[in-house]
Amino acid sequence: MDLRPASARPGEQQVTTADAFRDVYGTGPDGTWAAPGRVNLIGEHTDYNDGFVMPFALPHTAIASVARRDDGLLRLHSGQAEGGVVEVRLDGEPAKGWAAYPAGVVWALRDAGHAVGGADIHYDSTVPTGAGLSSSAALEIVTALALNDLYDLGLQRWQLARLCQRAENVYVGAPTGIMDQTASACCTAGHALYLDTRDLSQHQIPFDLAARGLRLLVVDTQVKHAHSEGEYGKRRRGCEDAAAALGVDALRDVPYEGLDEALARLEDEEQRRLVRHVVTEDQRVERVVALLEADDVRAIGPVLTEGHTSLRDDFRVSCPELDLVVATANDAGALGARMTGGGFGGSAIILVDDASADKIADAVTAAFASGGFREPRVFVAVPSAGAVRLE
Ligand code: GLA
């Protein structure tokens, strides 16, 4: 099994993306930007409950070469999508499919009063789609960062993340939280981002696994997930209803020490399960932060696995393939494992000792083969840089 970190080769790709822009539009771009996908270390389904999350950026990026235009036309082209150039009139019909993500960003910027007059954009992305690794947030953030620069909007990164979330919630219609966009915009290499999603305060926590003889494997189960459909929104509404029933603004306001009392006040078993997950998950984030700050990285493994159990049994957003990754990895000697991202497919993460990485990856691949599942894609996740202008 080849577990070398998948590289986004930004240097190489920058040339390719700008060249492809020239091929598509006949002239050169004004600049080229990159924004990464992410994995979330811990803190799942907490961001729309005003809670804590801890993502880090992947080396996989969406790259955009962009030229400004001021005639109300947005032209979008992607090296990964069929169908040629998509033209969107800014005062016309909304875009559909993949183009809705960047078009939504332009809509959100304009709706917030920023004078964006249009653009020509070519995208190239190495972030796997439908894998729970935030390929759409990468597309949104790279677009927002480019337009922020080209139109001199002066917006800060957290503001770009908010606008991109609004694009996704309102324009695309997916009721997601703020984690993915903030991760793509604000992560830094070698760190995990400890984010309070209520006030968006951020702490960059050093997360250098290689120096500790450890690795974090990502297993893309190749089971596609889709957020805008049903289950994600149901969980979100369930959490909001539970918060209302408990008389708090958000489940973040239920303290861990008050969990039993809160559970006793809820009649609905479904709501009890949602609350138990969110409150214990927020506490797991705090525990992971404390362990990392104490330089006890190995000890976060069991906390990751606890998080998976909670997502599987209480929040019920896992699936057989994700459960198989976690069980197989732990049986084969991993320090811990869990699903990452929204769930219902997508990816899992596994914390391993360097020496056992190959053995554990092979065990997972073999378990998928004997379970009759599609071969998973396994790679090493190295905490990488957030969004950046390349040229
Ligand atoms: C998706 C959403 C995020 C977050 C996660 C679950 O990735 O986009 O906002 O809710 O699911 O933690």
Side-chain angles (χ1 to χ4, degrees):
M1 166 109 4
D2 181 2
L3 290 178
R4 280 173 304 180
S7 158
R9 298 187 312 273
E12 240 169 78
Q13 247 186 346
Q14 168 187 349
V15 174
T16 314
T17 306
D19 286 349
F21 181 101
R22 272 181 211 99
D23 288 347
V24 173
Y25 297 110
T27 56
D30 296 332
T32 297
W33 289 258
R38 62 98 190 91
V39 289
N40 188 21
L41 184 61
I42 191 78
E44 218 66 85
H45 289 273
T46 47
D47 62 350
Y48 51 81
N49 291 297
D50 279 5
F52 303 105
V53 295
M54 218 178 163
F56 65 85
L58 289 171
H60 307 68
T61 54
I63 299 188
S65 287
V66 186
R68 175 179 163 148
R69 56 188 299 152
D70 290 289
D71 58 356
L73 185 63
L74 180 63
R75 295 197 294 175
L76 304 166
H77 186 267
S78 163
Q80 283 68 52
E82 306 279 310
V85 176
V86 179
E87 292 202 359
V88 187
R89 290 229 57 90
L90 297 185
D91 55 4
E93 287 296 302
K96 297 205 169 55
W98 73 270
Y101 293 93
V105 171
V106 176
W107 168 82
L109 285 166
R110 285 163 59 89
D111 196 59
H114 303 293
V116 174
D120 288 340
I121 312 183
H122 171 74
Y123 297 96
D124 263 319
S125 180
T126 55
V127 188
T129 55
L133 301 174
S134 293
S135 58
S136 40
L139 207 56
E140 291 159 7
I141 289 294
V142 77
T143 307
L145 190 65
L147 297 174
N148 190 42
D149 285 354
L150 288 180
Y151 282 92
D152 250 330
L153 303 180
L155 293 165
Q156 296 182 41
R157 283 172 180 243
W158 67 269
Q159 294 175 299
L160 297 178
R162 268 274 181 253
L163 287 164
C164 289
Q165 183 200 12
R166 182 142 195 275
E168 190 151 339
N169 291 172
V170 180
Y171 192 96
V172 178
T176 51
I178 188 73
M179 168 170 70
D180 304 343
Q181 293 82 1
T182 312
S184 187
C186 302
C187 279
T188 57
H191 295 83
L193 174 67
Y194 173 33
L195 174 72
D196 180 337
T197 65
R198 172 162 277 169
D199 63 8
L200 298 190
S201 58
Q202 306 181 3
H203 297 273
Q204 303 285 349
I205 310 284
F207 191 52
D208 184 356
L209 292 170
R212 303 284 170 279
L214 301 172
R215 284 190 220 177
L216 198 90
L217 305 182
V218 175
V219 181
D220 172 5
T221 63
Q222 310 270 359
V223 179
K224 299 287 171 194
H225 73 114
H227 283 146
S228 39
E229 292 162 349
E231 293 298 320
Y232 183 98
K234 252 197 236 166
R235 298 299 182 286
R236 183 170 182 159
R237 281 192 301 281
C239 288
E240 287 162 359
D241 291 348
L246 291 168
V248 291
D249 285 345
L251 292 184
R252 143 57 173 296
D253 296 313
V254 178
Y256 181 72
E257 300 70 34
L259 177 59
D260 288 343
E261 190 218 327
L263 295 178
R265 284 170 53 209
L266 291 171
E267 277 164 24
D268 186 77
E269 174 58 19
E270 177 66 20
Q271 286 188 356
R272 274 201 291 273
R273 289 175 173 214
L274 298 178
V275 171
R276 192 160 50 220
H277 168 70
V278 173
V279 174
T280 58
E281 185 77 353
D282 272 336
Q283 193 246 8
R284 280 186 284 275
V285 178
E286 313 259 33
R287 279 160 66 199
V288 166
V289 170
L291 289 168
L292 292 181
E293 282 177 343
D295 203 11
D296 195 1
V297 188
R298 298 174 70 84
I300 73 172
V303 188
L304 303 186
T305 303
E306 263 177 53
H308 185 78
T309 306
S310 178
L311 288 159
R312 184 191 65 201
D313 298 344
D314 273 340
F315 218 68
R316 278 165 298 150
V317 291
S318 188
C319 67
E321 291 85 349
L322 289 167
D323 294 342
L324 184 63
V325 175
V326 172
T328 308
N330 282 334
D331 285 351
L335 298 170
R338 60 180 287 269
M339 54 159 277
T340 188
F344 310 109
S347 298
I349 53 174
I350 313 175
L351 184 67
V352 297
D353 280 309
D354 265 346
S356 46
D358 286 317
K359 187 187 81 179
I360 290 168
D362 288 342
V364 169
T365 306
F368 268 53
S370 38
F373 297 132
R374 241 177 108 183
E375 188 178 346
R377 197 169 150 255
V378 188
F379 62 91
V380 176
V382 178
S384 301
V388 65
R389 183 172 190 161
L390 296 175
E391 90 177 356

